[in-house]
Amino acid sequence: MTSRDQLKNTQALLRLEKEADQEQYRQKVLLRPLHARVKEGVTWYPLKLKSDYIGTGERIIIEVERTSHHEQPHAFQSGKVVSVFSNAQNKPHRDHQTGVVNYVRDNLMVITLNGEDVPDWMDGGSLGVDVMFDEVSYREMDFALKKVIEAEDNRLADLREVLLARKTDGFNLQASGHPASGLIGRQHAVNAPHLNHSQSEALQIVVATADVAFIHGPPGTGKTTTLVEAIWQTINTEGQVLVCAPSNAAIDLLVEKLSDRNLSVLRMGHPARVTEHSLSKTLDARIAGHSHFGELRALRKRLEQVKAQAGKHRRNVGFAEKTERRLLREEARQLKSDADMLEFYITNDLLQSSDVIACTLVGSAHPALRGRKFKTVFIDEAGQSLEPASWIPIVKSSRVIFAGDHKQLPPTIRSVEAARLGLERTLFEKGIEVHPEKSVMLQVQYRMHEAIMKFSSAYFYHGKLIAHESVKNGLLRPYELPIEFVDTAGCGYHEEQDTETLSRLNKEEAQLLVRLVEKLVDDIGVERWMEERITLGIITPYRAQVDFLHLLAESSPQLEPLHQLISINTVDAFQGQERDVIVISFVRSNEKSEVGFLNDIRRTNVAMTRAKKKLLMVGDSATLAAHPFYTKLVEYVQGAGYYRSAFEIS
């Protein structure tokens, strides 16, 4: 297919994804009665309004508290678009106001409202909050795809052909001795002695390329360190860059690291969607800190006063009152025009003076960035970046640098059909195949014991990973095995399915796992565990198993003192993180040898490579062996002496 045909196909797959997303929202929210939505976790009800106040950028913030269903799991998280509604007088959704979730903690939710004031009806009680469907993201992705398809005889058309049709503008790597040396491109000497050889090679490619480059960063190899250095070096020659990532968490981490390099960073996006550390870098906060903000606030205050005065006059009034109302409305229009002009000036001043403009992929469609062009865009976590979303910032750029790992978590896709037909393949994955000469895989990892690294390195990274001396032999204690695989085959630990959520759990396996963790804690000693702040993560692919493990851990006397050092969650929640000890519950154990979610071995790769000093896995080898990946994993642990049967454990 031509590049345009590929993009048209991607457009069709995006429509499938939107339809699946909308249908899921319709089934979970629109078509369900209030009590069912609450039970499903897509609605909080009833709520009480605890407080309201003015937040960053003079936005209205409310705090609401759940008054029942205290242990109910839910779909709310930071950044979600929501609708606050009133169910007073038994008229569901009689009043509602949209907003964005700042954060959720236990039964408390903090929301930034999209309106200019707290509606009166919120004082009437019977409040609730619904999750909303995000239409904006799909609109921006579709718009970007159309622009790329229509591009002709311009830089965007060039980048389209480079990424999808093997065209290249070339680059110059004579200084590094790279096989691609001799191609025409950019010249700039780089000096970064703190980087290792493969990191320096990646930096050299970024500096030299005229069009695209790919930094492939397997777990623990210092991808963020390399990327930050590449951004810093690029700013030295270009003055300003656009930096994007698919998630708010990923972009906020980069904002923190770039700020540590004394770079001026402007974080685009809703203040409710950023971390507390990045809040001072947001456009709203930076506008509030601008030298002309006092003047802007005075204009807005006067505007509100004039609008209030104009609103006092009714229709049935005399000539003088009508004239006064007309004059007040004219003054209000002029004040609004002046305020808008001043805000535009302040925003433009901030954009011009910032080294880095940072935002999510979809956030790069922010109105303040409309019409702006950048020489280079950096896209982090590109292995998780949906292709249509990646095109949004590329449309604004002349050159693209991708960083990520397509052997870890893929993009989240709700349509099974769209994923199967290719939507799951990212631009990073496509581009690294088309232009291997413009990609460098980082090879030295600084996280894991060598034995923990070895299997993933062999299976996913052609055996090229090297454990740095600082972590190569790191153990919890002398003679502790770095890996253990406890096999439950033949034990009768059969999985079951939760009738409500349809998620799976394996209670006997969970109980065995907790006993193994308790024994490990006893062997190390609780005092030493707390003194050394040893962190432990329990990972499982199924939400029902997560919930059951939480119950077991909370009722364990040995683990109770360590609850702040122990986290239990699905794989996605651990992406980009690490723990001293990682324990994995594979759950699946059935006569049909069905492995379900475990088919996506990239998720297992993520789970295994979070561990620094010890990796403990519990699973049924008879079921897992249906997949060649797990067959090789069992062969590896058996050959290295890390295998034992659950029958050996009392």
Side-chain angles (χ1 to χ4, degrees):
M1 286 194 292
T2 66
S3 61
R4 283 191 171 97
D5 288 337
Q6 291 179 58
L7 288 162
K8 287 174 183 175
N9 182 58
T10 300
Q11 227 175 0
L13 297 181
L14 184 64
R15 285 194 289 271
L16 283 179
E17 172 66 4
K18 182 181 178 182
E19 289 167 7
D21 200 359
Q22 281 180 317
E23 181 58 23
Q24 192 177 95
Y25 176 74
R26 197 173 75 91
Q27 294 290 342
K28 284 190 172 183
V29 180
L30 299 182
L31 297 181
R32 310 202 73 177
L34 183 58
H35 74 276
R37 299 200 312 272
V38 171
K39 194 171 185 180
E40 185 73 27
V42 294
T43 297
W44 273 21
Y45 183 86
L47 302 174
K48 66 177 180 180
L49 180 64
K50 285 197 70 179
S51 65
D52 61 85
Y53 52 90
I54 306 294
T56 303
E58 298 192 309
R59 294 176 184 253
I60 303 297
I61 295 177
I62 62 170
E63 291 187 7
V64 293
E65 186 175 36
R66 206 164 29 167
T67 56
S68 63
H69 308 284
H70 288 200
E71 302 302 322
Q72 187 73 32
H74 59 78
F76 294 93
Q77 57 184 316
S78 174
K80 281 278 190 182
V81 180
V82 295
S83 174
V84 184
F85 65 86
S86 170
N87 195 30
Q89 301 176 6
N90 296 317
K91 294 180 180 178
H93 298 216
R94 179 174 60 89
D95 297 297
H96 64 90
Q97 175 70 63
T98 61
V100 177
V101 177
N102 289 46
Y103 67 85
V104 183
R105 186 178 301 149
D106 299 325
N107 297 302
L108 183 72
M109 191 185 305
V110 177
I111 302 167
T112 299
L113 295 179
N114 291 331
E116 296 181 357
D117 206 347
V118 179
D120 293 337
W121 52 262
M122 283 195 182
D123 294 323
S126 300
L127 297 181
V129 179
D130 279 332
V131 169
M132 289 192 70
F133 179 73
D134 183 12
E135 181 81 37
V136 175
S137 296
Y138 287 102
R139 186 169 65 242
E140 295 297 350
M141 287 189 282
D142 187 59
F143 180 71
L145 286 172
K146 284 178 182 174
K147 286 201 75 170
V148 182
I149 291 169
E150 293 167 1
E152 187 116 29
D153 298 327
N154 59 17
R155 186 58 181 161
L156 182 57
D158 290 342
L159 288 175
R160 178 189 67 215
E161 299 308 307
V162 167
L163 285 165
L164 299 176
R166 297 184 183 275
K167 179 186 172 183
T168 180
D169 278 358
F171 56 14
N172 192 310
L173 288 175
Q174 290 176 340
S176 69
H178 193 276
S181 63
L183 296 175
I184 298 170
R186 300 149 55 96
Q187 293 281 359
H188 173 59
V190 293
N191 180 33
H194 61 289
L195 300 185
N196 63 45
H197 176 73
S198 60
Q199 290 172 333
S200 296
E201 189 181 356
L203 178 61
Q204 185 62 42
I205 277 194
V206 169
V207 168
T209 188
D211 41 43
V212 299
F214 305 89
I215 303 173
H216 181 193
T221 54
K223 172 180 64 70
T224 301
T225 299
T226 309
L227 187 60
V228 167
E229 184 62 36
I231 292 168
W232 191 85
Q233 295 279 355
T234 304
I235 289 168
N236 282 344
T237 57
E238 297 179 3
Q240 186 181 78
V241 298
L242 177 62
V243 177
C244 298
S247 69
N248 286 290
I251 201 65
D252 284 335
L253 174 62
L254 275 175
V255 167
E256 182 180 343
K257 299 296 183 184
L258 291 166
S259 299
D260 289 344
R261 291 293 295 268
N262 295 317
L263 293 170
S264 172
V265 182
L266 182 61
R267 170 68 159 96
M268 308 301 293
H270 199 295
R273 291 189 168 103
V274 307
T275 62
E276 192 171 338
H277 184 276
S278 297
L279 200 57
S280 63
K281 310 291 191 299
T282 60
L283 180 60
D284 287 49
R286 293 281 295 277
I287 288 174
H290 196 274
S291 57
H292 288 284
F293 180 67
E295 186 182 344
L296 177 61
R297 185 157 58 178
L299 280 170
R300 285 176 175 167
K301 186 175 181 181
R302 175 61 184 156
L303 174 60
E304 290 306 312
Q305 290 171 344
V306 171
K307 284 167 66 178
Q309 281 181 270
K312 287 178 182 177
H313 297 287
R314 304 298 176 187
R315 288 182 180 178
N316 299 322
V317 292
F319 177 78
E321 288 82 359
K322 286 182 179 179
T323 301
E324 184 181 359
R325 183 176 63 185
R326 179 175 56 79
L327 291 171
L328 286 168
R329 284 178 173 171
E330 286 178 4
E331 184 182 357
R333 278 194 293 270
Q334 186 59 51
L335 284 166
K336 186 178 187 309
S337 176
D338 291 347
D340 289 346
M341 186 66 71
L342 182 55
E343 184 171 354
F344 175 80
Y345 163 76
I346 293 172
T347 300
N348 196 56
D349 185 43
L350 291 169
L351 286 167
Q352 291 290 107
S353 61
S354 297
D355 300 319
V356 177
I357 309 299
C359 52
T360 61
L361 297 169
V362 175
S364 65
H366 193 286
L369 298 180
R370 198 162 290 146
R372 294 190 77 88
K373 293 291 183 180
F374 299 87
K375 290 180 182 176
T376 302
V377 58
F378 288 85
I379 298 180
D380 193 18
E381 298 295 356
Q384 284 186 272
S385 302
L386 203 63
E387 180 183 339
S390 296
W391 284 113
I392 300 174
I394 294 174
V395 164
K396 302 175 182 294
S397 311
S398 299
R399 197 171 79 104
V400 194
I401 312 301
F402 296 90
D405 182 11
H406 51 301
K407 303 299 183 182
Q408 293 191 63
L409 292 183
T412 299
I413 297 177
R414 288 171 174 80
S415 168
V416 175
E417 186 180 3
R420 181 180 60 81
L421 293 174
L423 189 60
E424 194 174 67
R425 292 196 75 217
T426 62
L427 266 183
F428 180 79
E429 191 172 356
K430 291 177 181 179
I432 217 167
E433 289 176 6
V434 171
H435 294 293
E437 80 284 358
K438 294 190 176 188
S439 71
V440 171
M441 188 182 84
L442 307 182
Q443 295 180 7
V444 182
Q445 66 84 15
Y446 300 85
R447 175 184 296 162
M448 294 163 272
H449 186 283
E450 188 174 38
I452 299 173
M453 171 202 77
K454 194 172 181 181
F455 179 75
S456 284
S457 176
Y459 200 93
F460 293 102
Y461 307 109
H462 311 291
K464 292 182 178 179
L465 293 188
I466 302 163
H468 190 263
E469 288 298 322
S470 62
V471 298
K472 184 177 181 179
N473 300 306
L475 295 168
L476 278 179
R477 56 180 178 166
Y479 310 112
E480 179 77 35
L481 289 176
I483 301 176
E484 287 184 73
F485 185 101
V486 178
D487 190 358
T488 64
C491 292
Y493 292 179
H494 293 303
E495 66 187 73
E496 56 187 278
Q497 192 168 39
D498 185 282
T499 53
E500 290 188 6
T501 66
L502 303 183
S503 182
R504 295 182 185 272
L505 71 159
N506 190 321
K507 292 181 178 178
E508 291 87 358
E509 181 178 292
Q511 289 162 348
L512 172 63
L513 181 148
V514 170
R515 290 204 305 275
L516 290 167
V517 172
E518 288 172 338
K519 185 177 186 309
L520 181 62
V521 170
D522 288 341
D523 290 346
I524 298 289
V526 172
E527 288 186 8
R528 183 184 162 194
W529 197 286
M530 295 179 70
E531 184 181 324
E532 297 181 11
R533 306 294 295 172
I534 298 170
T535 54
L536 184 144
I538 300 176
I539 303 178
T540 182
Y542 293 95
R543 174 54 58 184
Q545 188 80 337
V546 169
D547 294 340
F548 189 66
L549 283 163
H550 269 295
L551 290 174
L552 293 177
E554 287 165 6
S555 61
S556 167
Q558 292 101 314
L559 303 186
E560 195 280 329
L562 308 175
H563 70 277
Q564 291 186 330
L565 298 170
I566 298 175
S567 43
I568 306 171
N569 220 319
T570 57
V571 180
D572 296 58
F574 281 91
Q575 172 76 352
Q577 299 186 33
E578 60 186 26
R579 298 291 189 274
D580 294 311
V581 182
I582 286 292
V583 187
I584 301 174
S585 170
F586 287 114
V587 178
R588 300 310 295 257
S589 179
N590 55 75
E591 294 176 358
K592 296 180 180 179
S593 295
E594 293 175 345
V595 295
F597 285 157
L598 299 178
N599 261 316
D600 190 346
I601 57 176
R602 289 171 295 183
R603 282 187 146 74
T604 306
N605 183 37
V606 172
M608 295 168 63
T609 55
R610 302 308 94 195
K612 294 167 65 177
K613 298 178 179 179
K614 187 173 184 70
L615 172 63
L616 173 59
M617 298 173 279
V618 184
D620 179 355
S621 67
T623 298
L624 296 175
H627 195 293
F629 170 83
Y630 298 101
T631 299
K632 287 188 177 295
L633 175 60
V634 173
E635 288 172 355
Y636 170 67
V637 294
Q638 286 177 330
Y642 302 140
Y643 171 94
R644 58 177 171 151
S645 170
F647 287 113
E648 302 171 29
I649 300 166
S650 56

